[in-house]
Amino acid sequence: MHYTCYKKSDLNNFNDDFYCINCIHLAVPRYNPFKVDTDEDTDDNIDDFSIKISNLLNQCQSHPTKSLNSLLCDQLSEHSSMLFQNIDGNKSNFDSLAVEMHRFKAKFSVIALAETNENPETSDLYQLSGYNSFYQNTSPGKSKGTGVALYVDNKLNANVISNHSFVSDNLETLFISLSSNGNTPVTVGVLYRPPSGDINEALNELSDLLNELPKKTYIMGDFNINLLDQNSTTVQLYEEIVFGKGYFPLISIPTHEKPGCKPSCIDNIITNNIDDVIMSGTLRDRIGHHASVFQVFNVTLESSSHNLKFEQHYDFCQSNVEQFLDILNQELDSKAIENFSVFHDTYKECIPVLCVDTTA
């Protein structure tokens, strides 16, 4: 609390901190149901696990890319990490995401996306350099507000877990298993809860899913449940399920904000492996209305680079590009977005994928 605020005496309590009327706008809403006052509570009243979760949520911050680079360059290089972004349509925002990721001096191990609006058939149009991609099917009959994907560092050994990956009216999920240098593989998933679905059914499906997932699981996603609304019965039901299954959220500050609307914390990362988490936060440079959320964890993921004998590349030779442009001129009008399926089919026909032997 500022000394000048204290002197003015007209104080407002916000997140157990005090602000004068002139400074209350500086307060950042924060979610932390585990908050403990270590100065007042004795060791008999609190446990190390609660302190660990509380500290992670209290230390969750919003970072501009520049400061995050200086803060996390070594962390990202030496530890594993993951980032989630509700991209609100690959066609509109994927290029912006690719540019943002290029600004980092080190790579995230896994990048998760929600609301891609893309199926596996069109996923090859959206590549991030140095990553392999995995796309889930979109919800039947929906062209917007659907689709999840995972991008995995191409040096890592990843396998899709099909029995945990599904699409319903209430949840969309995609899970992979990553080999680690320890005995236990790391399970990473992305989840999207469409607001059009039934919230009670979504919570039931989430409960069943958490029952089945193993230890060392991390789930990134847009849950569309605002954790900052502590008076919400939905939040209370969500907490009962998630905490009851041994999972805990890592993001405590606003992740979504529209002009004229109250900030909300609907994007998150939950895990049942709190002990290995080093830090978490959001990126201040937003893509659309959603902030990217990230976490760094102390698990060494096993590299499979020694097993990779082939890499895939598009054949952008001059003759292929010229053929592609000629067909576009003949078959497409000026409204290319409306003819996207034709564009995609033409692209795949003219620009083939080559498998390059990396051992040669």
Side-chain angles (χ1 to χ4, degrees):
M1 179 175 65
H2 301 145
Y3 176 73
T4 54
C5 294
Y6 174 77
K7 292 289 287 183
K8 290 182 179 179
S9 297
D10 186 15
L11 302 178
N12 294 274
N13 185 299
F14 190 88
N15 286 347
D16 293 332
D17 293 319
F18 291 92
Y19 299 83
C20 71
I21 193 64
N22 295 323
C23 297
I24 190 68
H25 70 281
L26 299 174
V28 176
R30 184 176 298 278
Y31 170 79
N32 189 355
F34 303 94
K35 187 170 184 179
V36 292
D37 189 341
T38 54
D39 292 331
E40 294 183 1
D41 291 336
T42 66
D43 291 341
D44 293 334
N45 296 329
I46 55 177
D47 58 84
D48 292 339
F49 189 73
S50 296
I51 293 175
K52 167 80 172 180
I53 301 172
S54 180
N55 287 341
L56 283 171
L57 293 173
N58 280 341
Q59 294 164 9
C60 177
Q61 301 292 335
S62 176
H63 302 269
T65 301
K66 184 176 180 180
S67 70
L68 193 60
N69 261 329
S70 60
L71 176 68
L72 278 187
C73 185
D74 291 338
Q75 295 274 32
L76 292 178
S77 300
E78 297 175 5
H79 302 286
S80 301
S81 57
M82 55 186 65
L83 176 140
F84 168 76
Q85 173 71 59
N86 181 317
I87 199 165
D88 196 19
N90 277 17
K91 293 176 186 176
S92 302
N93 295 313
F94 190 84
D95 288 347
S96 297
L97 173 72
V99 170
E100 285 299 310
M101 293 303 100
H102 189 69
R103 293 171 61 190
F104 286 99
K105 296 177 182 177
K107 291 169 62 177
F108 287 94
S109 308
V110 182
I111 297 172
L113 304 178
E115 290 198 78
T116 63
N117 301 333
E118 300 294 338
N119 278 301
E121 291 77 13
T122 56
S123 64
D124 54 0
L125 293 176
Y126 303 100
Q127 297 195 38
L128 288 177
S129 178
Y131 289 88
N132 294 320
S133 65
F134 303 85
Y135 272 68
Q136 177 62 281
N137 292 316
T138 55
S139 183
K142 295 181 71 173
S143 59
K144 293 185 66 177
T146 182
V148 293
L150 290 167
Y151 285 78
V152 182
D153 188 327
N154 59 11
K155 294 180 181 178
L156 300 178
N157 184 20
N159 295 290
V160 173
I161 310 175
S162 57
N163 57 322
H164 298 326
S165 305
F166 62 87
V167 177
S168 73
D169 292 337
N170 311 299
L171 287 183
E172 299 179 24
T173 70
L174 176 63
F175 281 85
I176 58 171
S177 177
L178 296 172
S179 300
S180 71
N181 287 349
N183 295 324
T184 306
V186 174
T187 301
V188 178
V190 57
L191 176 150
Y192 176 63
R193 187 188 77 80
S196 59
D198 184 293
I199 181 61
N200 292 317
E201 288 299 320
L203 291 174
N204 288 335
E205 291 177 18
L206 177 62
S207 178
D208 292 341
L209 177 65
L210 297 183
N211 275 335
E212 298 172 357
L213 291 167
K215 187 62 177 173
K216 286 196 175 182
T217 291
Y218 300 85
I219 306 175
M220 300 175 276
D222 180 352
F223 294 80
N224 271 308
I225 297 174
N226 180 19
L227 297 185
L228 298 178
D229 185 3
Q230 281 294 283
N231 294 321
S232 166
T233 55
T234 297
V235 172
Q236 294 167 10
L237 289 172
Y238 170 83
E239 288 177 337
E240 287 179 12
I241 291 171
V242 173
F243 299 165
K245 309 297 182 184
Y247 286 78
F248 302 94
L250 302 180
I251 305 300
S252 60
I253 57 179
T255 64
H256 179 266
E257 185 174 3
K258 286 184 178 180
C261 296
K262 200 172 182 179
S264 60
C265 179
I266 60 177
D267 308 278
N268 223 303
I269 304 171
I270 64 173
T271 182
N272 58 6
N273 192 36
I274 283 287
D275 288 340
D276 286 330
V277 178
I278 297 173
M279 68 172 296
S280 62
T282 70
L283 301 188
R284 194 169 299 168
D285 303 324
R286 299 191 175 199
I287 298 174
H289 299 303
H290 291 263
S292 299
V293 302
F294 72 90
Q295 71 107 352
V296 180
F297 58 113
N298 190 25
V299 174
T300 302
L301 298 175
E302 185 177 308
S303 173
S304 62
S305 58
H306 59 282
N307 295 323
L308 294 177
K309 297 183 179 180
F310 297 94
E311 291 183 352
Q312 292 186 333
H313 299 279
Y314 284 100
D315 185 4
F316 289 108
C317 67
Q318 184 174 352
S319 60
N320 288 344
V321 173
E322 289 178 351
Q323 180 187 14
F324 176 60
L325 294 176
D326 287 342
I327 295 177
L328 286 186
N329 287 331
Q330 296 170 15
E331 296 190 10
L332 297 182
D333 58 28
S334 59
K335 299 178 180 178
I337 297 300
E338 296 180 5
N339 296 274
F340 188 77
S341 60
V342 178
F343 177 94
H344 175 251
D345 292 342
T346 304
Y347 182 90
K348 292 186 70 174
E349 180 181 345
C350 297
I351 314 293
V353 176
L354 300 178
C355 288
V356 180
D357 188 348
T358 60
T359 63

